[in-house]
Amino acid sequence: MRKIKVYAPGTVANLVCGFDILGLALNEPCDIMEVTLLDEPKVIIHNRDEFNLPTDPEKNVAGVVFLSVMEKIGGNTGFEVTIEKHIKPGSGIGSSAASAAGAAVAANHLLGNIFNTDELIQFAMNGEKLASGVKHADNIAPCILGGVSLIRSIHPLDIISIPSPDLHVTVVHPQIEVRTADARQILRKQVLLKDAIRQWGNIAGLVAGLLKNDLDLIGRSLEDVIIEPVRSILIPGFDEVKASCKEAGALGGGISGSGPSIFMLSKNETTARAVEAAMKEVYERLGIAYYTYVTTVNQKGVSVEEITIVNH
Ligand code: HSE
């Protein structure tokens, strides 16, 4: 029997201005999955955490990804997985994507790496669809690939990895749950041309800033005139957190994915820690429980470790 351990990192989708098209992988937090190959076509799920996620494979994000891999390959292959989530569901830091991407990479590894990255992203998007009602790859792509991903298109899939400077990332997760499906539901379906122009200027500026290692350009491009004004009302203390983090020296930031987490980019760890203190101060004052991470950009994406090889 062969067992592998998979580490699937948290991710920050959207990167403020790039709704559904930009995302970045984090070194912390990170989900852990132990996966074995079965010689019968079924999926067995165990949870090793307090989140009580469904163990019915059809209702579990990792489960539907394993099922979609099995449908593709046919035969008598199945998977048994123990999931230890450290990325809280509904936190906005890519919890469902970590389960989905982790499952896709694990299955592929156990099957002898028969699928390419685009195929893995396709499998994993089935998990995102279950979680949020819509296929989107801005968490999954950076989770699998590491670094920053640009999702130019999902039909057909066209994903570009963008080299990023060694940025420090501070995340605060106020302990409320925002369901991605709900946070998508409230968005306006139309945008004004003047807002679109401003937004695509920012997206292009952010991508150029990452490529040129121009931190000031990155900072001033972290502006969202379309999604943030609508979604930020779901996040208590959002404006205050943003203002005080900027004062503490953050390059910029905003809602992480669909929230409620807020992330900020900083050029060094000292600033990232000062930003964390600013976030804490706001939520202490508001009396809202929170959790913070001070981390860096994960450059390698989902990683796999062989833990047991027993020959029968
Ligand atoms: N781009 C998605 C959204 C990410 O903002 O709805 C969800 O994590």
Side-chain angles (χ1 to χ4, degrees):
M1 190 185 65
R2 206 169 142 214
K3 193 183 236 183
I4 57 170
K5 204 168 183 173
V6 169
Y7 299 85
T11 42
V12 172
N14 301 336
L15 288 182
V16 183
C17 50
F19 179 69
D20 276 0
I21 64 152
L22 286 171
L24 161 157
L26 300 170
N27 273 317
E28 254 191 287
C30 179
D31 281 355
I32 303 171
M33 297 162 91
E34 286 175 14
V35 190
T36 51
L37 207 55
L38 302 175
D39 54 11
E40 48 184 330
K42 63 177 182 183
V43 176
I44 304 171
I45 299 171
H46 311 280
N47 290 320
R48 195 188 284 155
D49 52 47
E50 77 268 28
F51 302 122
N52 245 332
L53 292 172
T55 51
D56 173 351
E58 307 258 3
K59 297 188 180 134
N60 180 289
V61 168
V64 297
V65 175
F66 286 125
L67 289 172
S68 63
V69 172
M70 286 157 58
E71 195 184 315
K72 180 86 177 180
I73 58 172
N76 281 329
T77 299
F79 300 92
E80 180 164 7
V81 59
T82 300
I83 306 174
E84 186 182 316
K85 288 198 76 64
H86 294 269
I87 312 169
K88 203 168 175 177
S91 58
I93 34 183
S95 181
S96 54
S99 294
V105 172
N108 192 37
H109 189 89
L110 289 167
L111 294 169
N113 293 314
I114 54 176
F115 298 114
N116 64 30
T117 308
D118 280 4
E119 289 170 308
L120 297 185
I121 291 170
Q122 296 282 11
F123 288 130
M125 279 200 295
N126 294 320
E128 283 292 48
K129 176 131 201 258
L130 177 75
S132 70
V134 187
K135 286 189 175 181
H136 58 91
D138 50 337
N139 292 104
I140 282 169
C143 186
I144 291 180
L145 298 164
V148 176
S149 300
L150 165 65
I151 322 304
R152 197 198 65 80
S153 156
I154 56 168
H155 301 298
L157 207 53
D158 188 0
I159 294 184
I160 300 107
S161 282
I162 300 176
S164 91
D166 287 331
L167 294 164
H168 292 257
V169 191
T170 314
V171 179
V172 63
H173 174 204
Q175 301 289 294
I176 53 165
E177 185 179 348
V178 173
R179 293 182 60 246
T180 299
D182 298 337
R184 295 183 79 89
Q185 191 69 39
I186 60 169
L187 297 176
R188 285 190 287 262
K189 301 288 175 277
Q190 291 179 325
V191 296
L192 294 174
L193 182 61
K194 73 172 177 53
D195 290 340
I197 292 167
R198 193 159 175 145
Q199 196 86 353
W200 60 55
N202 281 324
I203 297 165
L206 179 55
V207 171
L210 290 165
L211 289 168
K212 289 164 63 118
N213 208 343
D214 182 337
L215 300 185
D216 288 335
L217 177 57
I218 291 171
R220 62 182 190 275
S221 303
L222 289 169
E223 178 195 55
D224 173 6
V225 295
I226 294 175
I227 308 294
E228 184 183 287
V230 181
R231 281 187 170 171
S232 57
I233 53 171
L234 302 174
I235 306 172
F238 178 79
D239 292 336
E240 264 185 87
V241 168
K242 210 170 132 181
S244 58
C245 289
K246 287 290 225 4
E247 227 166 88
L251 295 170
I255 303 171
S256 176
S258 54
S261 290
I262 303 169
F263 82 102
M264 289 285 151
L265 299 181
S266 297
K267 55 181 155 216
N268 57 43
E269 193 185 340
T270 310
T271 310
R273 295 264 168 220
V275 167
E276 181 193 30
M279 291 167 164
K280 286 182 170 177
E281 193 277 321
V282 173
Y283 284 116
E284 291 288 343
R285 189 157 32 80
L286 294 178
I288 294 170
Y290 61 88
Y291 198 85
T292 55
Y293 301 93
V294 179
T295 185
T296 45
V297 180
N298 175 318
Q299 301 288 359
K300 61 181 197 297
V302 176
S303 59
V304 180
E305 191 182 296
E306 298 275 345
I307 51 176
T308 327
I309 301 178
V310 181
N311 293 319
H312 291 284

